[in-house]
Amino acid sequence: MEIEAARSDDSRKELDSIQEKLEDTREKMELEALAFIEATKKFTSEWIKREIEISVNSPENAAFPENLRFHNKNPGESNLDLKELSLKISGIVETHLNHGDYWIHKNALFQPDSSRDYIEYKKEKILKELTLSVRRILGCATEIFWEEGEPENKAWVKEMGKRKYVCFLRFSDEMKTSLNHYFELLEELLILNHKIKEEILRMERQKA
């Protein structure tokens, strides 16, 4: 009986240790998710500013300034309120990215599989969903500055009631760095979760 009690105590300690590591990993993943979101805000702001500069300085808009939704004080300088731009973009990014649909660490219910195929599948799925979401973010941000009724406007199409950027999209270095760190932690999370399931099964077998 004493041996069984000692084994039970050891198993409980091991399980508690794994669960503590898992929660620590979740916290680190949350920080990387937030870092990706902040990097996406910066990426979107810089992207929109480039689009505005290109439009403001295009030969067509120079010849027909009435086509421009935002007018210049001086050549190459927009009247756009940069603080307002930052707040609106921040809101758009938060709405699209700061929830549990993309971030597996926020979801307590996921398959306890630590196989390489499953881990790579989850990475690919998250990357695909985030890429699609960032395309929609760029589309929504652009709608702030362009008049409606221009579906033919170069790189934009309508999808699910939102404009989606359909040209080649490359994440910024900051976005890639935080996402790569997130994926490294994702592997650790899935492995730890798998270990917890195995430890619970082992403890149940000991009781039987």
Side-chain angles (χ1 to χ4, degrees), residues 37-186:
I37 290 170
E38 290 303 313
T40 302
K41 292 176 184 178
K42 179 181 176 183
F43 172 79
T44 305
S45 296
E46 292 176 350
W47 190 90
I48 289 294
K49 289 173 186 176
R50 285 196 302 271
E51 288 295 299
I52 291 170
E53 289 172 2
I54 291 171
S55 298
V56 166
N57 294 304
S58 71
E60 180 181 354
N61 285 324
F64 302 99
E66 66 275 9
N67 292 337
L68 210 56
R69 187 174 176 182
F70 36 84
H71 301 281
N72 292 341
K73 293 178 180 178
N74 300 306
E77 181 183 351
S78 172
N79 274 339
L80 186 66
D81 185 332
L82 295 182
K83 184 176 181 181
E84 180 183 3
L85 167 64
S86 178
L87 288 173
K88 288 184 177 180
I89 286 176
S90 178
I92 291 170
V93 174
E94 289 284 345
T95 297
H96 281 264
L97 292 184
N98 200 8
H99 51 76
D101 290 351
Y102 306 119
W103 308 110
I104 194 171
H105 73 282
K106 293 178 180 289
N107 186 355
L109 302 175
F110 52 83
Q111 184 176 340
D113 190 346
S114 61
S115 68
R116 173 55 54 184
D117 286 344
Y118 180 69
I119 290 172
E120 292 304 318
Y121 161 75
K122 294 305 294 184
K123 288 181 181 180
E124 183 178 345
K125 185 172 185 292
I126 292 170
L127 178 59
K128 181 178 179 180
E129 291 175 346
L130 286 175
T131 300
L132 180 59
S133 188
V134 171
R135 290 184 186 280
R136 292 200 180 112
I137 286 168
L138 294 178
C140 291
T142 297
E143 285 188 338
I144 297 172
F145 309 107
W146 291 101
E147 296 289 349
E148 292 291 341
E150 299 179 2
E152 72 286 355
N153 184 33
K154 49 182 181 179
W156 305 94
V157 296
K158 286 284 186 180
E159 182 177 287
M160 296 177 63
K162 300 290 185 183
R163 285 188 186 271
K164 185 184 75 168
Y165 183 60
V166 295
C167 288
F168 182 74
L169 177 63
R170 182 188 292 112
F171 286 176
S172 69
D173 289 342
E174 292 87 350
M175 293 166 72
K176 287 187 286 188
T177 296
S178 58
L179 195 56
N180 286 339
H181 289 165
Y182 187 88
F183 284 156
E184 291 170 3
L185 292 165
L186 172 62

